Amino acid sequence: MRVACLGGGPAGLYFAISLKLRDPGHDVVVVERNKAGDTFGWGVVFSDQTLENLRSNDPVSAATIQAEFAHWDDIEVVVGDHVERSGGHGFIGIGRKRLLNILQDRARELGVRLEFETEFDADLSQWSDYDLIVASDGINSRIRSHYEDRFDVNIQTRANKFIWLGTAKLFDAFAFIFEKTEAGWIWAHAYRFDETRSTFIVECSEATWRGLGFDTMEQADAIAACERIFARHLDGEPLLTNAGHLRGSAAWINFRRILCERWSFDNVVLLGDAAHTAHFSIGSGTKLALEDAIKLAEVMSRPHVAHDRESMAAALEEYRAERHTEVLKIQNSARNSTEWFETLDRYIDFAPKQFAYSLLTRSQRVSHENLRLRDPAWLAEVEQWFQRQSGVEPGNRPAEPMFAPLLLRNLTIANRVVVSPILTYSADEDGVPGDFHMVHYGARAMGGAGLVVTEMTAVSETGRITPHCPGLWNDQQAEAWKKIVAFAHANSEAKICVQLGHAGARGATEAGHVQPDRPLQEAAWPLIAASSLPYKPGSQVPRAMSRSDMNAVIADFVAATARAKAAGFDMIELQAGHGFLLSSFISPVLNHRDDEFGGSLENRLRYPLEVFCAMRDAWGEALPLAVRISANDWVGSAGVTPDEAVRIAAAFQDAGADIVDVSAGETAASARPVYGRMFQTPFSDQIRNEAGCATIAVGNIYEADHVNSILAAGRADLVALGRPHLADPSWTMRAAARSGQKIAVPPAYALGLAQMTRTLQPQAR
């Protein structure tokens, strides 16, 4: 097979090596525009797994690369004068120029032709006599750009500015160095990659970049300014550039995230950064490129691929499918990391240990328990800090964050685990909770959770979702709830919160386990909402609320609040999300009013805030009041966005809300949610750290490790789990046993907890 690799970076070179290893008879040429010694980066970071992949593919070049590696174990987070240092992270790095030299030498040794200082453009006709054309020409690929429609290219330009520099200062840890200037924060990612040099990437927001005048400086002046800003960390060593040919501010870059849905057409295929990129803050770009090269060489070395069009197409699609999945995993982590640095102002005022923890876990590839494996002593310090700021003096063995108490007004919640409100559709047709609810909520209270939130409890008969949803619109219901709350209080330390709501346009439907949101065919009741819009196509059309309707519903909420107080509930949560009545005012998808309750966000919030304030007056000042919102309608700017959710949360906080339960969606039939592990936690993070209010994180959270990571990183104050508690009422007790944490359980259950602890904690036997 005749193969032309257009681009002589690590991707093209390593593919050429990998292909020749599999069949020396291949005729492979690598064409590069620059000189053999030119490079515009400094160091390259690898993981142990990447090195193992290289060893399996080509032990010879892997051994040479390994002999050149710089190794370091620690990460250092420096904010002003404070340093946090954590070990056990295990990085290896090599100079990009040295890596290229090693790969060039190995390619020549295997018979690959290398042609430097040779221009090529997107006209591929000059390569028409080659069986395969590999576009390995990097992030600025001319081939990808020319055939953009063939590759279905998606490019996202990120917000921050950065410049890639080097220095002779040898850092003994991977250092994140933050300095405050008159124009804002600026920081460096610094690490040693050989015995003489370190990479030193300087990054900042565009506002800071302009404020410091970098937009008008020549490169030499910008480097001199960076030397002054980071002088105390450089020990007199200068900052160096290998892109001196760039004029003005061109050396500063906005990172471009590139993703192609298609990686090939005919006999042309993308490789490495030409096909995808990963932000430098997680150091995976070269790793992805080399692993791409291995897979592409594997599929192209199969029989008949070179000269059978269908076989080649199938091979290239297998390459894309496998590598695309891996790329998406890395890009997801890279996006999390990128956004953390882009929203640095949320976190920079954290206590030093929490700030460092937040940085270390920013990509979600490193979790709480992963940090315990890497550096148990440092993590213990974080856990001690968390306990102290929760008002508890830690013992010899600090508790995990999930077992720290939380004070809301006069209510102390024993731990940070919440049983999330989940509809059970198990009340009788009078809306009275029965034996099922006594067992259901009682079991979860005794199971160790700090807070148990009921399913949405209707404030009126016509405010129900289904005929089998519980209510608090009469005294019989209140008396039944009182027995449930009393049982929980008598047999556990759990606090009990009732979620009050009105279904609005989502009312008069079948139970969710029958078919969610399917209108009742018989005995349906008339519905009301902000606007006369059905919740879904085929749903009952509600009546747009009049002022008298609004007053009546406020009275219902106030009466239900009084009954909740009489029933002994510790807390109330107002349901203002998920397309229910109050959400139909807040979301522009559902609110098409043209009066003082529609249009602007201030208008759309007017009525929900009226309801909330009336409830606060009825509830009093002693106990907490929460609100649940949908922080993202998942329809872009046509609906509520996370930025707008910050303003929504702030408005409720100003009205007296103590904590915001941050959910998302269920407001628009056209919504396109992006699901995943902890997928709604970023909304909680943004609201907590931009609006400055306490939050509850919820949404596909199912491990104790998730809970601890969210809390310690300052992304929420409580963490709610719904489905895990359906399967395991004692989820919190089990987590306590696994960690060796003592929690309150009914005396009758103490032996069970002790045995579970011995079972899950071998050292306790």
Side-chain angles (χ1 to χ4, degrees):
M1 182 162 56
R2 299 193 71 207
V3 178
C5 297
L6 306 184
L13 287 167
Y14 201 66
F15 170 70
I17 291 167
S18 302
L19 197 64
K20 289 289 276 186
L21 282 169
R22 285 161 173 78
D23 186 346
H26 291 312
D27 176 15
V28 184
V29 61
V30 176
V31 182
E32 171 57 43
R33 299 185 186 96
N34 299 304
K35 297 177 182 178
D38 286 351
T39 182
F40 303 108
W42 289 89
V44 174
V45 178
F46 285 140
S47 67
D48 291 337
Q49 182 58 56
T50 303
L51 183 58
E52 186 58 39
N53 292 340
L54 299 185
R55 283 197 199 99
S56 298
N57 185 63
D58 179 23
V60 175
S61 62
T64 309
I65 291 168
Q66 184 175 10
E68 301 281 342
F69 272 141
H71 298 259
W72 66 97
D73 200 48
D74 293 355
I75 292 178
E76 203 169 69
V77 181
V78 185
V79 182
D81 295 324
H82 190 92
V83 179
E84 286 290 330
R85 193 176 181 110
S86 169
H89 300 282
F91 292 98
I92 47 181
I94 187 172
R96 180 178 173 86
K97 184 172 183 178
R98 180 61 186 133
L99 176 63
L100 287 173
N101 289 341
I102 291 170
L103 297 181
Q104 289 164 5
D105 290 346
R106 180 61 169 152
R108 290 190 189 96
E109 180 182 313
L110 293 171
V112 176
R113 290 180 289 122
L114 304 181
E115 298 181 4
F116 295 99
E117 299 182 78
T118 302
E119 280 293 332
F120 58 86
D121 55 30
D123 179 8
L124 301 179
S125 60
Q126 61 182 308
W127 313 102
S128 60
D129 56 343
Y130 281 79
D131 300 303
L132 182 69
I133 302 169
V134 180
S136 51
D137 51 341
I139 190 171
N140 297 313
S141 172
R142 295 179 184 177
I143 297 169
R144 183 196 64 234
S145 297
H146 186 76
Y147 296 100
E148 189 170 356
D149 59 330
R150 305 292 297 271
F151 293 120
D152 194 5
V153 182
N154 182 297
I155 298 178
Q156 183 183 74
T157 301
R158 302 302 310 198
N160 282 356
K161 294 283 187 179
F162 72 96
I163 186 170
W164 207 300
L165 303 172
T167 179
K169 164 64 189 287
L170 300 181
F171 292 89
D172 64 353
F174 196 121
F176 295 96
I177 304 166
F178 297 84
E179 288 289 347
K180 190 173 186 179
T181 72
E182 67 278 7
W185 287 91
I186 187 169
W187 55 95
H189 311 241
Y191 56 91
R192 178 175 63 88
F193 60 80
D194 64 23
E195 297 305 315
T196 64
R197 294 286 186 270
S198 296
T199 293
F200 199 90
I201 304 169
V202 178
E203 183 182 7
C204 61
S205 70
E206 182 163 351
T208 298
W209 180 73
R210 292 186 183 279
L212 292 172
F214 287 132
D215 57 324
T216 60
M217 289 184 194
E218 289 296 326
Q219 185 180 176
D221 297 326
I223 291 173
C226 290
E227 287 173 346
R228 291 191 295 273
I229 292 169
F230 295 102
R232 59 177 166 167
H233 308 287
L234 293 170
D235 297 339
E237 295 291 349
L239 292 174
L240 310 171
T241 180
N242 53 20
H245 61 290
L246 297 176
R247 303 269 67 85
S249 61
W252 291 90
I253 306 167
N254 289 82
F255 181 79
R256 295 196 304 156
R257 193 277 287 138
I258 295 169
L259 182 64
C260 298
E261 287 301 318
R262 294 188 293 274
W263 290 22
S264 64
F265 70 89
D266 298 336
N267 67 333
V268 181
V269 62
L270 300 176
L271 183 69
D273 280 355
H276 50 75
T277 56
H279 194 260
F280 59 85
S281 63
I282 66 165
S284 295
T286 303
K287 159 197 160 61
L288 288 174
L290 298 180
E291 291 172 352
D292 281 358
I294 294 170
K295 180 61 181 180
L296 183 59
E298 175 199 322
V299 300
M300 295 309 299
S301 297
R302 293 172 184 166
H304 313 301
V305 165
H307 305 295
D308 181 79
R309 193 181 186 90
E310 289 186 5
S311 296
M312 177 176 285
L316 293 178
E317 175 53 27
E318 179 185 331
Y319 156 69
R320 184 210 67 84
E322 180 177 309
R323 296 304 304 152
H324 188 68
T325 299
E326 293 305 309
V327 166
L328 288 177
K329 291 177 184 177
I330 294 294
Q331 285 196 339
N332 183 57
S333 296
R335 184 194 66 244
N336 295 335
S337 178
T338 306
E339 290 177 352
W340 191 92
F341 285 105
E342 289 176 347
T343 57
L344 180 75
D345 287 346
R346 292 184 196 169
Y347 315 110
I348 195 66
D349 292 326
F350 279 5
K353 288 201 182 300
Q354 187 171 47
F355 179 78
Y357 183 102
S358 178
L359 187 154
L360 292 173
T361 59
R362 68 194 182 280
S363 72
Q364 296 183 22
R365 291 198 299 175
V366 176
S367 69
H368 197 80
E369 290 308 309
N370 192 261
L371 281 175
R372 196 183 307 282
L373 290 173
R374 296 180 184 212
D375 193 342
W378 186 80
L379 186 66
E381 293 175 3
V382 173
E383 292 179 337
Q384 288 170 346
W385 168 84
F386 195 92
Q387 292 290 322
R388 289 193 180 98
Q389 62 88 37
S390 301
V392 176
E393 188 58 35
N396 294 332
R397 181 178 180 181
E400 294 172 2
M402 65 185 287
F403 296 111
L406 179 68
L407 180 66
L408 294 175
R409 295 198 182 231
N410 294 334
L411 182 71
T412 299
I413 300 171
N415 62 60
R416 305 299 182 100
V417 180
V418 178
V419 176
S420 192
I422 294 184
L423 298 168
T424 66
Y425 314 106
S426 299
D428 65 26
E429 292 197 1
D430 294 322
V432 178
D435 292 344
F436 173 88
H437 298 86
M438 176 70 79
V439 174
H440 176 70
Y441 291 114
R444 280 141 192 87
M446 292 189 295
L451 181 68
V452 177
V453 185
T454 73
E455 61 205 280
M456 192 179 92
T457 301
V459 298
S460 66
E461 188 172 10
T462 55
R464 292 174 294 167
I465 305 168
T466 78
H468 292 284
C469 288
L472 252 180
W473 68 79
N474 63 43
D475 292 342
Q476 183 186 4
Q477 296 160 349
E479 189 60 32
W481 279 119
K482 185 176 182 178
K483 292 177 182 177
I484 294 168
V485 173
F487 177 87
H489 285 163
N491 293 281
S492 75
E493 289 189 350
K495 306 304 179 187
I496 311 300
C497 172
V498 61
Q499 186 189 80
L500 295 180
H502 189 297
R506 296 191 70 179
T509 62
E510 300 279 4
H513 55 258
V514 177
Q515 184 172 328
D517 295 308
R518 184 169 73 183
L520 290 172
Q521 300 304 302
E522 297 179 0
W525 52 89
L527 305 179
I528 56 174
S531 298
S532 186
L533 298 171
Y535 176 67
K536 285 183 174 180
S539 295
Q540 183 188 148
V541 179
R543 183 180 78 252
M545 290 177 73
S546 66
R547 181 66 252 189
S548 62
D549 291 328
M550 294 182 194
N551 292 339
V553 170
I554 290 175
D556 290 337
F557 271 99
V558 168
T561 299
R563 289 190 177 94
K565 193 172 186 178
F569 282 106
D570 303 295
M571 181 172 165
I572 294 177
E573 177 174 281
L574 173 64
Q575 172 59 284
H578 294 174
F580 297 117
L581 182 70
L582 299 184
S583 174
S584 77
F585 279 86
I586 296 171
S587 172
V589 175
L590 301 171
N591 185 340
H592 292 187
R593 300 177 74 103
D594 58 6
D595 59 5
E596 68 269 32
F597 300 101
S600 69
L601 178 60
E602 289 73 17
N603 283 355
R604 287 183 277 121
L605 278 169
R606 193 182 307 277
Y607 181 63
L609 289 174
E610 281 187 33
V611 174
F612 185 88
C613 290
M615 290 175 64
R616 170 53 78 192
D617 289 343
W619 184 239
E621 297 295 324
L623 291 173
L625 196 55
V627 60
R628 172 170 273 210
I629 66 171
S630 288
N632 192 343
D633 284 342
W634 301 109
V635 293
S637 59
V640 170
T641 64
D643 287 344
E644 195 171 60
V646 174
R647 296 167 58 199
I648 294 168
F652 278 106
Q653 182 182 37
D654 290 345
D658 299 288
I659 195 164
V660 179
D661 191 351
V662 185
S663 190
E666 296 190 50
T667 55
S670 60
R672 293 293 179 267
V674 180
Y675 292 111
R677 178 171 51 98
M678 303 184 285
F679 73 108
Q680 293 175 159
T681 299
F683 309 140
S684 169
D685 183 336
Q686 182 174 358
I687 288 170
R688 182 182 190 272
N689 295 306
E690 290 186 8
C693 62
T695 61
I696 304 173
V698 64
N700 204 21
I701 300 165
Y702 49 87
E703 293 181 357
D705 201 19
H706 299 164
V707 177
N708 287 321
S709 298
I710 290 167
L711 294 168
R715 308 184 78 192
D717 300 273
L718 293 171
V719 180
L721 300 89
R723 295 177 186 182
H725 276 116
L726 292 180
D728 184 1
S730 298
W731 187 93
T732 308
M733 187 192 301
R734 191 178 306 280
R738 187 175 290 110
S739 68
Q741 172 69 30
K742 293 182 179 179
I743 63 168
V745 297
Y749 291 178
L751 290 175
L753 177 59
Q755 183 185 54
M756 187 188 296
T757 301
R758 290 193 299 272
T759 302
L760 298 177
Q761 287 278 304
Q763 66 271 25
R765 294 175 186 170

